[in-house]
Amino acid sequence: MDQGVKWATELIDQKLALEEEQQKHSASSLTSANPPEVARTDTPLLEDEKRHGVKHKGIEGIKGHERVRKSSVDLRREIIEVGGTQYLFELCKKPRKKKEEKKPEPEPEEITGPVTNEDFLKAAVQGKLNMAEKFLVDGGSPDTCDEFRRTALHRASLEGHVEIAEKLLARGATVDFRDRLDSTAMHWACRGGHLEVVKLLQEKGANLNVKDKLLSTPLHVATRTGMVDIVEHLLNNGVDANSRDREGESALHDAVRLNRYKIIKMLILHGADMMAKNMAGKTPTDLVQLWQTDTRDVLEKQEPDATEMPA
């Protein structure tokens, strides 16, 4: 392995190990504000996404993140405080609650009148397949869009509604239809983090290297969103790992700036150029160099007995 690649991957592994260690001893909860409507996204928001990552992954809100479990030390302390070993015995004696029976899904509401363009686009967001089907059966265009040229396929891709996306494509929806920011459904599927939609669009002939107005590819978007599985899929399907956006930056520049360590390692192993300069003359390696000092300082400050307390 090339010495530069070896050095970078080892440094990333060290950073990942440090993050995992810190996560073991801290619980985190994530709250999300109400996300903006799709139609509200504009060029400044795309610029902000590039700098700080994607804040809102879907119209209905950000997916829940796995909660960090309590450490064994905290658990043992909690048991002692509420009654020690006897408490465990009492817990074992308590009958287990029966699992609640899964309620049958409500029947889709019957649609009597015609479906308007606005209702059709809302149906794509909300996953209302019957309403979308009614619109299409009545002769509505699958490429119907709003004032920002966002189609139902854009919206369904962002939300991960695979069945609606399949129906739209079967009815002739343009797979690489561009909105006002030149984003396609593939960009929106990557932004929403929906691998199944990405695969569906790819199967229907979507361009994996298509660029939006910032010259960002789906790989750029998936990197900024932190969607490791989508990045891996795109790289395994031969996308250009060194494609540059409007500022001359590759996905590796984005990954380094946003501390996407797993993605950084993946990109490097798939041939991303660590010495590629952006318009400001900076390479990903220039940014990685900053980690070396930062990581070393953090590791040196770790107290040897800080990770575990006696029971």
Side-chain angles (χ1 to χ4, degrees), residues 4 60 65 69 72 122 150 156 189 193 212 218 230 235 247 272 292:
E60 301 300 333
H65 291 252
R69 293 185 177 182
S72 58
K122 284 183 179 178
R150 303 265 160 73
D212 62 17
I230 294 181
L235 290 172
E247 295 180 6
Q292 206 166 27

Side-chain angles (χ1 to χ4, degrees), residues 177-189:
F177 194 100
R178 293 174 179 268
D179 63 18
R180 234 169 68 175
L181 297 176
D182 284 347
S183 294
T184 66
M186 182 63 75
H187 286 100
W188 285 101

Side-chain angles (χ1 to χ4, degrees), residues 50-51 220 242-254 256-257 273-287:
K50 174 179 171 57
R51 290 293 152 206
H220 283 98
N242 291 303
S243 181
R244 309 292 190 87
D245 65 13
R246 194 171 64 184
E247 295 180 6
E249 296 195 335
S250 66
L252 188 55
H253 282 91
D254 287 330
V256 170
R257 181 173 56 253
D273 186 1
M274 293 188 293
M275 302 307 295
K277 292 184 178 181
N278 60 16
M279 300 293 284
K282 297 293 183 182
T283 70
T285 302
D286 290 335
L287 303 179

Side-chain angles (χ1 to χ4, degrees), residues 159-221:
E159 294 300 325
H161 298 311
V162 180
E163 289 186 359
I164 291 183
E166 287 176 336
K167 183 66 65 175
L168 291 166
L169 291 166
R171 287 280 181 169
T174 305
V175 69
D176 281 333
F177 194 100
R178 293 174 179 268
D179 63 18
R180 234 169 68 175
L181 297 176
D182 284 347
S183 294
T184 66
M186 182 63 75
H187 286 100
W188 285 101
C190 292
R191 183 171 284 109
H194 302 294
L195 180 57
E196 289 306 310
V197 179
V198 169
K199 290 179 178 179
L200 172 65
L201 295 171
Q202 179 186 2
E203 180 185 327
K204 299 299 182 181
N207 183 356
L208 296 182
N209 288 302
V210 65
K211 295 189 174 187
D212 62 17
K213 278 196 173 179
L214 296 184
L215 303 185
S216 299
T217 64
L219 181 62
H220 283 98
V221 175

Side-chain angles (χ1 to χ4, degrees), residues 3-148:
Q3 283 299 112
V5 173
K6 183 179 179 182
W7 165 77
T9 54
E10 286 177 352
L11 183 58
I12 293 163
D13 285 338
Q14 188 180 38
K15 195 76 173 177
L16 283 170
L18 180 61
E19 277 195 345
E20 290 173 4
E21 186 66 24
Q22 291 172 339
Q23 287 177 358
K24 289 178 183 178
H25 302 93
S26 64
S28 62
S29 60
L30 298 177
T31 56
S32 59
N34 292 328
E37 291 290 333
V38 170
R40 302 288 295 177
T41 305
D42 51 20
T43 303
L45 285 178
L46 278 186
E47 295 281 4
D48 186 64
E49 171 184 296
K50 174 179 171 57
R51 290 293 152 206
H52 307 293
V54 178
K55 294 180 181 178
H56 305 295
K57 299 184 178 68
I59 298 177
E60 301 300 333
I62 300 175
K63 290 181 177 180
H65 291 252
E66 292 184 1
R67 294 182 179 178
V68 179
R69 293 185 177 182
K70 292 182 179 179
S71 70
S72 58
V73 175
D74 293 333
L75 184 58
R76 288 198 296 271
R77 186 182 297 114
E78 182 178 321
I79 291 172
I80 291 170
E81 287 174 356
V82 296
T85 309
Q86 184 62 32
Y87 177 65
L88 289 179
F89 289 140
E90 294 299 325
L91 285 178
C92 293
K93 291 179 182 178
K94 289 183 179 180
R96 294 183 180 180
K97 292 182 180 180
K98 292 182 179 180
K99 290 183 179 179
E100 294 183 4
E101 294 183 4
K102 188 177 180 181
K103 295 180 181 179
E105 294 184 6
E107 291 291 328
E109 57 183 294
E110 185 178 350
I111 303 170
T112 54
V115 177
T116 65
N117 289 358
E118 183 180 357
D119 287 338
F120 170 59
L121 293 174
K122 284 183 179 178
V125 172
Q126 298 167 355
K128 294 183 177 179
L129 181 60
N130 61 324
M131 186 173 290
E133 283 183 321
K134 179 71 165 57
F135 178 85
L136 296 171
V137 168
D138 289 348
S141 170
D143 285 336
T144 296
C145 58
D146 60 20
E147 68 272 27
F148 291 89

